Amino acid sequence: MRRPVLYFRHSQGACMRRKLFAVVLSLGVALASNALAQSQDENWKTCGNDSADPDLKIAACTAAVQSGQETAENAAVAYFHRGTAYDDKDQLDRAIEDYSEAIRIKPDYVDAYRSRGQAYGRTGHYDTAIADFDRAIKLDAKNVDAYSNRGFAYYYKGLYDRAIEDENRAIQLAPDDAVSYFVRGLAKQKLGDQIGGAADIARAKQLNPNVGK
């Protein structure tokens, strides 16, 4: 909020009051600035906290974006984190909107492409999801999640050979990635390799007993 401009008469007493007012005003502005900075710091802590309540994250990220004090890069990060909160609430359309805005601001935002691809995959838009994973991989050739998720999208499209190729690459990059073993096992079974598929699924369960649930 803008402070009102105050005028004083040009007398000796008025000059002294004007000087005192300037000191008090400067102190008030400094205190307000410090409070605003602290408030923004708290917003960022909550906005970027993956374990925070999604509604609190959404409010904090929104406040960060609407403050008008952030760089374009930081705004992209805030949109991304707000997207993850909507994702957690299964509000996938809103998540996709925020990921898209993050990408618009920062076209090389790997995590935003990957997360938007995951959201598109969850809504059954597998071709669109694959395009986002393609972009994420082009930007980061060692992105395990992008390979693993693209493999899952290929699996849902019935392209089991391509699913296995992507999961192989994900496992090469992260040998203990349970999801990649699980998806590869499912794809192998679809192609008639029951023994190989069962072995992969067993390995996935060994790494993470909750995988596939």
Side-chain angles (χ1 to χ4, degrees):
M1 180 182 294
R2 292 186 60 189
R3 293 177 178 274
V5 179
L6 302 179
Y7 297 92
F8 294 87
R9 287 195 179 95
H10 294 292
S11 65
Q12 185 175 0
C15 288
M16 179 60 68
R17 287 194 298 274
R18 185 164 63 249
K19 290 177 181 178
L20 289 173
F21 176 77
V23 171
V24 173
L25 180 61
S26 297
L27 179 59
V29 170
L31 290 173
S33 297
N34 288 338
L36 184 60
Q38 290 175 357
S39 176
Q40 276 296 88
D41 286 344
E42 289 301 314
N43 285 335
W44 276 111
K45 287 179 183 177
T46 303
C47 180
N49 184 356
D50 289 337
S51 62
D53 177 83
D55 288 324
L56 293 179
K57 278 189 67 173
I58 290 167
C61 295
T62 300
V65 169
Q66 292 181 348
S67 70
Q69 298 181 347
E70 300 300 338
T71 63
E73 181 100 2
N74 284 347
V77 172
Y79 278 113
F80 169 76
H81 283 294
R82 192 173 71 176
T84 65
Y86 283 127
D87 220 328
D88 288 341
K89 288 168 62 70
D90 290 328
Q91 296 181 12
L92 298 178
D93 287 343
R94 302 190 73 173
I96 289 169
E97 287 178 5
D98 274 354
Y99 296 142
S100 297
E101 183 63 14
I103 290 167
R104 185 192 68 79
I105 297 170
K106 183 174 164 46
D108 61 349
Y109 203 154
V110 176
D111 286 343
Y113 281 108
R114 174 185 50 76
S115 294
R116 189 174 70 174
Q118 290 172 326
Y120 276 128
R122 290 173 62 193
T123 60
H125 294 87
Y126 301 121
D127 289 329
T128 310
I130 288 168
D132 272 347
F133 297 135
D134 287 345
R135 182 60 176 161
I137 290 167
K138 185 175 181 179
L139 291 166
D140 177 10
K142 295 184 178 181
N143 195 296
V144 175
D145 288 339
Y147 280 110
S148 184
N149 280 289
R150 190 175 70 177
F152 210 2
Y154 281 135
Y155 172 83
Y156 275 117
K157 282 176 62 65
L159 301 174
Y160 305 121
D161 286 328
R162 300 193 71 174
I164 291 171
E165 287 177 8
D166 271 351
E167 301 309 337
N168 285 342
R169 180 58 176 153
I171 290 167
Q172 286 175 353
L173 293 168
D176 292 334
D177 187 63
V179 173
S180 297
Y181 278 104
F182 187 78
V183 176
R184 189 174 73 174
L186 295 177
K188 284 181 178 179
Q189 289 182 333
K190 288 290 188 179
L191 290 175
D193 183 3
Q194 300 302 321
I195 295 175
D200 273 350
I201 291 171
R203 177 60 176 155
K205 295 287 187 180
Q206 184 182 34
L207 291 167
N208 180 2
N210 294 317
V211 69
K213 293 183 178 179

